[in-house]
């Protein structure tokens, strides 16, 4: 990218890099962060492509916030303490208005998650945002997918199916009341990574995953990794007032079971362990394989990018 355009980008992204774990931020060849004694680094990267992961007419503020939330959600699912992130940005052009708005979305997420932007890369091409997150875990402690045991109870945070409902609203397939529309679009455009819940669960949850592809698809990952069967009771699924306003409860439940992009946490606790506030019991763990929700659904597998290849 030409120097003038790079300095523009630098202006928008260089002030978001201060943080407790940051020794050196944007401006040099690498950023330098430090861990506390006894901690280990957890890292993950997520990419968002225009037209694939977000509609082309999304606001730049929302694109920025959402890209960070989806990446930070993986730290939440491990119970990791956020340290910082890098953002690789591919832009069709250096549109200053767009960059300004996008950086506002980044700034909101940096501040809300206390996740400083310590570096990145900027190139020209179709609009694509890759966010690499860095987090800290106490040595020997992490919430993996493989620890669920027979007899555990299964919980989720928040409400499910809202992002899928928002996509139906955007596609004009469903027209709920105006306040519900506003709520659902906010849930799609501004998902919240459950970082505090992740930290709360560390040490008690036997298995955890963030729901990015849909509850059934993601619970399946826990079942497979743990070698157990997960039984989910659709009647227990937490639905928002917006989803409960739908004429068809079946549709709402289908969104909650198979819709992706909610970024809530699904986790298992040994029976009798009190769940954190804001979470809902949805099922239990049995001997066996797979996920059983007592319903036959057309496509429980979640979104598959290479399904047609
Ligand atoms: P290099 O050629 O060494 O990779 P760059 O010119 O790509 O350096 O970047 C210079 C500095 O600006 C680096 O510290 C890099 O981390 C930072 N940077 C570049 N793009 C971004 C971005 N989109 N967000 C945050 N920091 C960025
Ligand atoms: Mg570079």
């Amino acid at each position: 990218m030409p120097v003038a355009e790079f300095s523009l980008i630098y202006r928008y992204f260089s002030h978001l890099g201060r943080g407790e774990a940051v020794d050196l931020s944007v401006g040099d060849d690498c950023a330098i962060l430090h861990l506390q004694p006894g901690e280990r680094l957890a890292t993950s990267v997520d990419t968002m492509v225009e037209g694939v992961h977000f509609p082309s007419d999304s606001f730049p503020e929302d694109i920025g916030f959402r890209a960070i939330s989806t990446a930070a959600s993986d730290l939440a699912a491990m119970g990791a303490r956020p340290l910082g992130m890098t953002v690789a940005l591919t832009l069709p052009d250096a549109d200053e208005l767009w960059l300004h708005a996008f950086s506002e979305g980044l700034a909101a997420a940096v501040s809300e998650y206390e996740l400083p932007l310590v570096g990145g890369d900027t190139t020209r091409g179709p609009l694509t945002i890759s966010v690499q997150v860095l987090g800290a875990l106490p040595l020997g402690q992490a919430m993996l997918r493989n620890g669920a045991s027979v007899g555990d109870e299964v919980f989720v945070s928040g409400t499910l199916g809202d992002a899928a409902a928002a996509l139906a609203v955007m596609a004009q397939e469903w027209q709920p009341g105006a306040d519900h529309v506003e709520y659902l679009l906010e849930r799609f455009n501004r998902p919240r990574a459950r970082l505090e819940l992740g930290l709360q669960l560390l040490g008690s949850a036997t298995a955890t995953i963030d729901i990015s592809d849909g509850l059934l698809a993601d619970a399946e990952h826990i079942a497979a990794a743990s070698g157990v069967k997960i039984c989910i009771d659709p009647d227990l699924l937490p639905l928002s007032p917006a989803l409960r306003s739908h004429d068809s409860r079946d549709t709402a439940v289908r969104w909650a079971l198979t819709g992706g992009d909610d970024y809530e946490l699904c986790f298992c606790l040994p029976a009798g362990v009190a769940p954190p506030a804001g979470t809902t019991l949805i099922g239990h763990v049995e001997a066996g394989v797979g996920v059983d929700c007592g319903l036959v659904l057309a496509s429980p597998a979640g979104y598959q990018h290479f399904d047609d290849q």
Side-chain angles (χ1 to χ4, degrees), residues 101-144:
F102 179 77
S103 73
E104 302 260 290
L106 290 191
V110 163
S111 140
E112 178 162 332
Y113 300 134
E114 297 183 43
L115 191 60
L117 175 62
V118 299
D121 193 31
T122 310
T123 54
R124 192 187 292 277
L127 180 58
T128 304
I129 302 116
S130 288
V131 181
Q132 183 193 32
V133 288
L134 307 163
L137 283 164
L139 180 58
Q141 266 193 315
M143 298 187 297
L144 308 184

Short mmCIF file of all heavy atoms in Angstrom, two decimals, residues 101-144:
data_model
loop_
_atom_site.label_atom_id
_atom_site.label_comp_id
_atom_site.label_asym_id
_atom_site.label_seq_id
_atom_site.Cartn_x
_atom_site.Cartn_y
_atom_site.Cartn_z
N ALA A 101 -15.10 5.23 10.48
CA ALA A 101 -16.21 4.50 11.10
C ALA A 101 -15.76 3.12 11.58
O ALA A 101 -16.09 2.70 12.70
CB ALA A 101 -17.36 4.38 10.11
N PHE A 102 -14.98 2.43 10.75
CA PHE A 102 -14.48 1.10 11.12
C PHE A 102 -13.65 1.19 12.41
O PHE A 102 -13.80 0.37 13.32
CB PHE A 102 -13.64 0.55 9.97
CG PHE A 102 -13.04 -0.80 10.22
CD1 PHE A 102 -13.81 -1.95 10.13
CD2 PHE A 102 -11.69 -0.92 10.54
CE1 PHE A 102 -13.24 -3.21 10.36
CE2 PHE A 102 -11.12 -2.17 10.77
CZ PHE A 102 -11.90 -3.31 10.68
N SER A 103 -12.80 2.20 12.49
CA SER A 103 -11.94 2.33 13.68
C SER A 103 -12.77 2.64 14.94
O SER A 103 -12.38 2.27 16.04
CB SER A 103 -10.85 3.37 13.47
OG SER A 103 -11.39 4.67 13.49
N GLU A 104 -13.94 3.29 14.75
CA GLU A 104 -14.82 3.51 15.91
C GLU A 104 -15.34 2.18 16.44
O GLU A 104 -15.44 1.98 17.66
CB GLU A 104 -16.03 4.38 15.51
CG GLU A 104 -15.66 5.71 14.94
CD GLU A 104 -15.77 6.82 15.96
OE1 GLU A 104 -16.90 7.13 16.33
OE2 GLU A 104 -14.72 7.36 16.36
N GLY A 105 -15.69 1.29 15.53
CA GLY A 105 -16.14 -0.05 15.94
C GLY A 105 -15.03 -0.81 16.64
O GLY A 105 -15.25 -1.45 17.67
N LEU A 106 -13.81 -0.71 16.09
CA LEU A 106 -12.67 -1.36 16.74
C LEU A 106 -12.46 -0.78 18.13
O LEU A 106 -12.27 -1.52 19.11
CB LEU A 106 -11.38 -1.14 15.94
CG LEU A 106 -11.20 -1.83 14.60
CD1 LEU A 106 -9.74 -1.68 14.15
CD2 LEU A 106 -11.56 -3.29 14.66
N ALA A 107 -12.51 0.55 18.22
CA ALA A 107 -12.26 1.22 19.51
C ALA A 107 -13.27 0.78 20.56
O ALA A 107 -12.92 0.55 21.73
CB ALA A 107 -12.29 2.73 19.32
N ALA A 108 -14.54 0.64 20.15
CA ALA A 108 -15.58 0.22 21.09
C ALA A 108 -15.26 -1.17 21.63
O ALA A 108 -15.38 -1.45 22.83
CB ALA A 108 -16.95 0.25 20.42
N ALA A 109 -14.82 -2.06 20.74
CA ALA A 109 -14.52 -3.44 21.17
C ALA A 109 -13.24 -3.48 22.01
O ALA A 109 -13.17 -4.20 23.00
CB ALA A 109 -14.40 -4.35 19.94
N VAL A 110 -12.23 -2.72 21.62
CA VAL A 110 -10.98 -2.67 22.37
C VAL A 110 -11.28 -2.27 23.81
O VAL A 110 -10.78 -2.86 24.77
CB VAL A 110 -9.99 -1.66 21.73
CG1 VAL A 110 -8.87 -1.28 22.69
CG2 VAL A 110 -9.42 -2.23 20.44
N SER A 111 -12.13 -1.26 23.96
CA SER A 111 -12.43 -0.76 25.30
C SER A 111 -13.34 -1.74 26.06
O SER A 111 -13.08 -2.05 27.23
CB SER A 111 -13.04 0.64 25.14
OG SER A 111 -14.07 0.86 25.99
N GLU A 112 -14.36 -2.26 25.41
CA GLU A 112 -15.29 -3.16 26.11
C GLU A 112 -14.59 -4.45 26.57
O GLU A 112 -14.84 -4.94 27.67
CB GLU A 112 -16.47 -3.50 25.21
CG GLU A 112 -17.45 -4.46 25.86
CD GLU A 112 -18.82 -4.48 25.20
OE1 GLU A 112 -19.22 -3.46 24.61
OE2 GLU A 112 -19.47 -5.53 25.29
N TYR A 113 -13.72 -4.99 25.72
CA TYR A 113 -13.09 -6.27 26.06
C TYR A 113 -11.72 -6.11 26.71
O TYR A 113 -11.08 -7.11 27.05
CB TYR A 113 -12.93 -7.13 24.79
CG TYR A 113 -14.23 -7.46 24.11
CD1 TYR A 113 -14.37 -7.33 22.74
CD2 TYR A 113 -15.33 -7.92 24.83
CE1 TYR A 113 -15.57 -7.64 22.10
CE2 TYR A 113 -16.53 -8.23 24.21
CZ TYR A 113 -16.64 -8.08 22.84
OH TYR A 113 -17.82 -8.39 22.22
N GLU A 114 -11.27 -4.86 26.84
CA GLU A 114 -9.91 -4.60 27.32
C GLU A 114 -8.91 -5.45 26.54
O GLU A 114 -8.09 -6.18 27.10
CB GLU A 114 -9.81 -4.84 28.83
CG GLU A 114 -10.70 -3.87 29.60
CD GLU A 114 -10.60 -4.03 31.10
OE1 GLU A 114 -9.48 -4.18 31.61
OE2 GLU A 114 -11.66 -4.01 31.76
N LEU A 115 -9.04 -5.36 25.21
CA LEU A 115 -8.25 -6.15 24.27
C LEU A 115 -7.53 -5.18 23.34
O LEU A 115 -8.06 -4.82 22.28
CB LEU A 115 -9.22 -7.06 23.49
CG LEU A 115 -8.66 -8.17 22.64
CD1 LEU A 115 -7.86 -9.17 23.44
CD2 LEU A 115 -9.80 -8.88 21.89
N PRO A 116 -6.33 -4.73 23.71
CA PRO A 116 -5.66 -3.71 22.90
C PRO A 116 -5.24 -4.22 21.52
O PRO A 116 -4.92 -5.41 21.36
CB PRO A 116 -4.43 -3.33 23.74
CG PRO A 116 -4.27 -4.42 24.73
CD PRO A 116 -5.60 -5.05 24.95
N LEU A 117 -5.25 -3.32 20.54
CA LEU A 117 -4.82 -3.63 19.17
C LEU A 117 -3.33 -3.34 19.08
O LEU A 117 -2.91 -2.19 19.05
CB LEU A 117 -5.61 -2.74 18.19
CG LEU A 117 -5.23 -2.83 16.72
CD1 LEU A 117 -5.47 -4.22 16.17
CD2 LEU A 117 -6.02 -1.81 15.90
N VAL A 118 -2.51 -4.40 19.07
CA VAL A 118 -1.06 -4.20 19.20
C VAL A 118 -0.32 -4.30 17.87
O VAL A 118 0.89 -4.11 17.82
CB VAL A 118 -0.45 -5.20 20.21
CG1 VAL A 118 -1.06 -5.01 21.59
CG2 VAL A 118 -0.61 -6.64 19.73
N GLY A 119 -1.03 -4.59 16.77
CA GLY A 119 -0.35 -4.67 15.48
C GLY A 119 -1.28 -5.20 14.43
O GLY A 119 -2.47 -5.45 14.70
N GLY A 120 -0.76 -5.34 13.23
CA GLY A 120 -1.59 -5.85 12.16
C GLY A 120 -0.91 -5.74 10.84
O GLY A 120 0.31 -5.58 10.76
N ASP A 121 -1.71 -5.82 9.79
CA ASP A 121 -1.18 -5.72 8.45
C ASP A 121 -2.28 -5.10 7.60
O ASP A 121 -3.47 -5.26 7.89
CB ASP A 121 -0.81 -7.13 7.95
CG ASP A 121 0.03 -7.09 6.70
OD1 ASP A 121 0.81 -6.12 6.54
OD2 ASP A 121 -0.10 -8.01 5.88
N THR A 122 -1.89 -4.39 6.56
CA THR A 122 -2.87 -3.73 5.72
C THR A 122 -2.51 -3.96 4.26
O THR A 122 -1.38 -3.68 3.87
CB THR A 122 -2.90 -2.21 6.03
OG1 THR A 122 -3.02 -2.05 7.44
CG2 THR A 122 -4.08 -1.55 5.35
N THR A 123 -3.45 -4.50 3.50
CA THR A 123 -3.21 -4.75 2.08
C THR A 123 -4.44 -4.36 1.28
O THR A 123 -5.51 -4.12 1.85
CB THR A 123 -2.93 -6.25 1.80
OG1 THR A 123 -4.02 -7.01 2.36
CG2 THR A 123 -1.64 -6.72 2.42
N ARG A 124 -4.28 -4.30 -0.03
CA ARG A 124 -5.40 -3.96 -0.90
C ARG A 124 -6.00 -5.23 -1.50
O ARG A 124 -5.27 -6.15 -1.88
CB ARG A 124 -4.91 -3.04 -2.01
CG ARG A 124 -6.05 -2.39 -2.80
CD ARG A 124 -5.50 -1.64 -3.98
NE ARG A 124 -4.72 -0.47 -3.61
CZ ARG A 124 -5.24 0.72 -3.30
NH1 ARG A 124 -6.55 0.90 -3.32
NH2 ARG A 124 -4.47 1.74 -2.99
N GLY A 125 -7.33 -5.27 -1.55
CA GLY A 125 -8.02 -6.43 -2.13
C GLY A 125 -9.47 -6.42 -1.66
O GLY A 125 -9.92 -5.44 -1.07
N PRO A 126 -10.21 -7.49 -1.91
CA PRO A 126 -11.61 -7.55 -1.46
C PRO A 126 -11.69 -7.45 0.07
O PRO A 126 -10.86 -8.06 0.77
CB PRO A 126 -12.08 -8.92 -1.94
CG PRO A 126 -11.07 -9.37 -2.94
CD PRO A 126 -9.78 -8.70 -2.61
N LEU A 127 -12.66 -6.70 0.56
CA LEU A 127 -12.75 -6.40 1.99
C LEU A 127 -12.76 -7.67 2.85
O LEU A 127 -13.67 -8.49 2.77
CB LEU A 127 -14.03 -5.59 2.26
CG LEU A 127 -14.27 -5.19 3.72
CD1 LEU A 127 -13.11 -4.37 4.26
CD2 LEU A 127 -15.57 -4.43 3.85
N THR A 128 -11.71 -7.81 3.64
CA THR A 128 -11.52 -8.99 4.49
C THR A 128 -10.84 -8.54 5.78
O THR A 128 -9.90 -7.75 5.74
CB THR A 128 -10.61 -10.02 3.78
OG1 THR A 128 -11.19 -10.34 2.50
CG2 THR A 128 -10.46 -11.29 4.58
N ILE A 129 -11.32 -9.05 6.90
CA ILE A 129 -10.74 -8.67 8.19
C ILE A 129 -10.36 -9.94 8.93
O ILE A 129 -11.22 -10.78 9.19
CB ILE A 129 -11.75 -7.87 9.03
CG1 ILE A 129 -12.19 -6.62 8.28
CG2 ILE A 129 -11.15 -7.48 10.38
CD1 ILE A 129 -13.63 -6.60 7.93
N SER A 130 -9.08 -10.07 9.26
CA SER A 130 -8.63 -11.20 10.08
C SER A 130 -8.19 -10.67 11.43
O SER A 130 -7.39 -9.74 11.49
CB SER A 130 -7.45 -11.92 9.43
OG SER A 130 -7.87 -12.63 8.31
N VAL A 131 -8.72 -11.26 12.48
CA VAL A 131 -8.36 -10.83 13.83
C VAL A 131 -7.71 -11.99 14.56
O VAL A 131 -8.31 -13.06 14.70
CB VAL A 131 -9.61 -10.36 14.62
CG1 VAL A 131 -9.22 -9.89 16.01
CG2 VAL A 131 -10.34 -9.26 13.87
N GLN A 132 -6.46 -11.76 14.99
CA GLN A 132 -5.79 -12.77 15.81
C GLN A 132 -5.84 -12.28 17.26
O GLN A 132 -5.44 -11.15 17.56
CB GLN A 132 -4.33 -12.95 15.39
CG GLN A 132 -3.67 -14.04 16.21
CD GLN A 132 -2.16 -14.07 16.07
OE1 GLN A 132 -1.53 -13.05 15.89
NE2 GLN A 132 -1.60 -15.26 16.19
N VAL A 133 -6.35 -13.13 18.14
CA VAL A 133 -6.44 -12.76 19.55
C VAL A 133 -5.39 -13.51 20.36
O VAL A 133 -5.01 -14.63 20.02
CB VAL A 133 -7.85 -13.06 20.12
CG1 VAL A 133 -8.86 -12.08 19.56
CG2 VAL A 133 -8.27 -14.49 19.85
N LEU A 134 -4.92 -12.85 21.40
CA LEU A 134 -3.92 -13.43 22.30
C LEU A 134 -4.49 -13.37 23.71
O LEU A 134 -5.00 -12.31 24.13
CB LEU A 134 -2.63 -12.60 22.24
CG LEU A 134 -2.08 -12.39 20.82
CD1 LEU A 134 -1.06 -11.26 20.80
CD2 LEU A 134 -1.45 -13.68 20.32
N GLY A 135 -4.41 -14.49 24.42
CA GLY A 135 -4.93 -14.51 25.78
C GLY A 135 -4.01 -15.31 26.69
O GLY A 135 -3.10 -15.98 26.22
N ALA A 136 -4.25 -15.21 27.98
CA ALA A 136 -3.41 -15.90 28.96
C ALA A 136 -4.25 -16.91 29.73
O ALA A 136 -5.39 -16.63 30.11
CB ALA A 136 -2.81 -14.89 29.93
N LEU A 137 -3.65 -18.08 29.96
CA LEU A 137 -4.30 -19.13 30.74
C LEU A 137 -3.37 -19.57 31.86
O LEU A 137 -2.16 -19.74 31.63
CB LEU A 137 -4.58 -20.34 29.85
CG LEU A 137 -5.77 -20.23 28.92
CD1 LEU A 137 -5.70 -21.30 27.85
CD2 LEU A 137 -7.07 -20.35 29.72
N PRO A 138 -3.90 -19.78 33.06
CA PRO A 138 -3.06 -20.34 34.12
C PRO A 138 -2.55 -21.71 33.69
O PRO A 138 -3.31 -22.48 33.07
CB PRO A 138 -4.01 -20.49 35.31
CG PRO A 138 -5.23 -19.71 34.96
CD PRO A 138 -5.29 -19.62 33.47
N LEU A 139 -1.30 -22.00 33.98
CA LEU A 139 -0.69 -23.28 33.58
C LEU A 139 -1.57 -24.46 33.99
O LEU A 139 -2.02 -24.55 35.13
CB LEU A 139 0.69 -23.42 34.25
CG LEU A 139 1.48 -24.69 33.96
CD1 LEU A 139 1.71 -24.84 32.46
CD2 LEU A 139 2.79 -24.67 34.72
N GLY A 140 -1.85 -25.34 33.02
CA GLY A 140 -2.62 -26.55 33.30
C GLY A 140 -4.12 -26.32 33.38
O GLY A 140 -4.88 -27.26 33.62
N GLN A 141 -4.56 -25.09 33.18
CA GLN A 141 -6.00 -24.83 33.23
C GLN A 141 -6.45 -24.26 31.91
O GLN A 141 -5.91 -23.26 31.44
CB GLN A 141 -6.31 -23.79 34.31
CG GLN A 141 -6.68 -24.37 35.65
CD GLN A 141 -7.26 -23.28 36.54
OE1 GLN A 141 -6.73 -22.18 36.60
NE2 GLN A 141 -8.34 -23.58 37.21
N ALA A 142 -7.44 -24.89 31.29
CA ALA A 142 -8.06 -24.35 30.09
C ALA A 142 -9.35 -25.14 29.92
O ALA A 142 -9.43 -26.29 30.33
CB ALA A 142 -7.18 -24.55 28.87
N MET A 143 -10.36 -24.50 29.37
CA MET A 143 -11.61 -25.24 29.16
C MET A 143 -11.59 -25.78 27.75
O MET A 143 -11.81 -25.05 26.79
CB MET A 143 -12.78 -24.30 29.37
CG MET A 143 -12.82 -23.77 30.79
SD MET A 143 -14.29 -22.84 31.14
CE MET A 143 -14.13 -21.47 30.02
N LEU A 144 -11.30 -27.05 27.63
CA LEU A 144 -11.24 -27.68 26.31
C LEU A 144 -12.62 -28.25 25.97
O LEU A 144 -13.55 -28.17 26.77
CB LEU A 144 -10.17 -28.77 26.32
CG LEU A 144 -8.79 -28.34 26.82
CD1 LEU A 144 -7.78 -29.48 26.68
CD2 LEU A 144 -8.29 -27.11 26.08
#
